[in-house]
Amino acid sequence: MTQVMQEAKTARKHRRALLQGNEAVVEGALAAGMRFFAGYPITPSTEIAEGCALKLPRVGGKFIQMEDELASMAAVIGASVAGVKSMTATSGPGFSLKQENIGFAALAEIPCVVVDVQRSGPSTGLPTSPSQGDYMQARWGTHGDHPVIAVSPWSVQEAYSETIRCFNLAEEYRVPVILLMDEIVGHMREGIELFEPEEIKLFDRLTKADPEQASMPYDIVPREQVPRITPFGEGVFYNITGLIHDNWGFPTNSPVKANRQCTRIMKKVENNLGDIEKYESYRLDDAQVCVVSFGGTARSARAAVDAARLDEFRVGMFRPVTVWPFPEEALAKICDQVEHIVVAELNYGQMKLEVERVAAGRCEVHHIGKVNGTILKPGEIYKKIREVAR
């Protein structure tokens, strides 16, 4: 094979595209095998619904605009139960409306992906302005103790690749997975690489081949933590409920069974943090100050760190990509190393609370945030670094 042919073959591996973050989510979802989308238009996530409406029919998928966000989440759950990889997308007010059914998906162990392109709130707030005010809602938005995984990309490339990962996590652990974007990333345009199908590793849900076993959907295969539930679309009938249930899916008031189920659905995430957690450490080897930031704001934070390094401040950055579960073990090691942590986020201090919990007094935790619908600029974060580093 000549060098020209080798280069051409390599070039075909990654198709280049200029995409908006919301458009990249659609491409990632389709690459992951998403074939059903239900949603309701809401700024700044509407481009995701528009992209799915355009592209799903081309691959044999289904798009449906529902009457509201509650129905959208319910439709996604129904499609997933039938064995179809499913997704919905929304923003703050719609995310609030989805919470009851997100809780249902968590307890009934129905895999699905929920995209929340955050905007400034509360209530209707500033619909076209950036925010990261849904951070705590992503973890605690629905009532009760429930498992959830939330991922926050900081670039259009990550919007694409992390959407694929969200589907894999949802299928493997049978939990609702939240792609916690923000308006900055959702409406940003960047050149990215789209993977070829053979390059993408996909996880498809495990099912039970034995029809008798399939009729008992929550019975766990030995040495596994996640139930293998055969899709309704394959003709197996069983019970699904939002009540605490037994292995057959029927309601139970047994304290023993309730404890067993509620503990198991939490532990299937807690026992697999090494697979679920993802984070980035930057210039931390000799750092005395660490900036903790996520999503679109982390782009400003990294620029601020680079500027501070040029002025000989020993500063680095820690960026959670998986924001729930919070990567506390990795951050705890940093807390033992640095003197100060600066949390930079577009809210009143939500991730700061998690950082303070992990730091537990081992280093000083500072905060810089905004709730006025404007971004945090690198110069503003740099000024905060200078303040704490003196």
Side-chain angles (χ1 to χ4, degrees), residues 80-247:
S80 182
V81 168
V84 181
K85 291 185 180 181
S86 304
M87 182 178 81
T88 186
T90 188
S91 187
F95 194 44
S96 299
L97 293 172
K98 292 183 187 294
Q99 291 301 330
E100 181 180 1
N101 275 331
I102 289 175
F104 180 93
L107 184 67
E109 299 184 78
I110 300 169
C112 52
V113 174
V114 181
V115 185
D116 175 20
V117 188
Q118 299 165 91
R119 74 190 206 192
S120 189
S123 190
T124 308
L126 298 168
T128 60
S129 299
S131 173
Q132 293 174 312
D134 301 349
Y135 173 69
M136 282 294 178
Q137 187 185 23
R139 178 64 189 91
W140 303 110
T142 193
H143 58 283
D145 291 304
H146 60 281
V148 74
I149 298 171
V151 173
S152 185
W154 79 327
S155 67
V156 177
Q157 183 70 61
E158 274 197 353
Y160 171 72
S161 60
E162 288 301 307
T163 297
I164 297 172
R165 190 167 78 98
C166 282
F167 275 95
N168 284 342
L169 291 171
E171 294 291 322
E172 184 170 4
Y173 297 105
R174 302 196 71 96
V175 293
V177 177
I178 296 158
L179 185 70
L180 194 64
M181 293 237 293
D182 49 63
E183 190 276 338
I184 300 169
V185 177
H187 283 158
M188 177 188 302
R189 287 191 182 275
E190 291 181 318
I192 71 168
E193 293 183 342
L194 300 174
F195 309 136
E196 293 298 329
E198 62 269 19
E199 296 180 281
I200 302 172
K201 183 178 179 180
L202 297 181
F203 188 98
D204 295 316
R205 70 188 66 174
L206 301 177
T207 61
K208 296 175 181 175
D210 184 345
E212 185 174 342
Q213 285 295 315
S215 65
M216 192 163 55
Y218 295 101
D219 183 48
I220 308 295
V221 173
R223 294 182 296 279
E224 294 185 359
Q225 303 174 71
V226 182
R228 299 185 175 202
I229 303 179
T230 301
F232 259 77
E234 295 183 13
V236 178
F237 296 95
Y238 47 83
N239 197 62
I240 295 178
T241 177
L243 292 163
I244 300 296
H245 45 266
D246 58 21
N247 287 350

Side-chain angles (χ1 to χ4, degrees), residues 2-29:
T2 67
Q3 183 177 352
V4 173
M5 292 174 65
Q6 288 177 331
E7 289 175 353
K9 185 177 180 181
T10 302
R12 286 198 301 271
K13 282 289 184 183
H14 295 106
R15 294 175 292 127
R16 296 287 296 175
L18 177 64
L19 295 178
Q20 188 186 68
N22 285 344
E23 294 169 339
V25 168
V26 177
E27 294 297 331

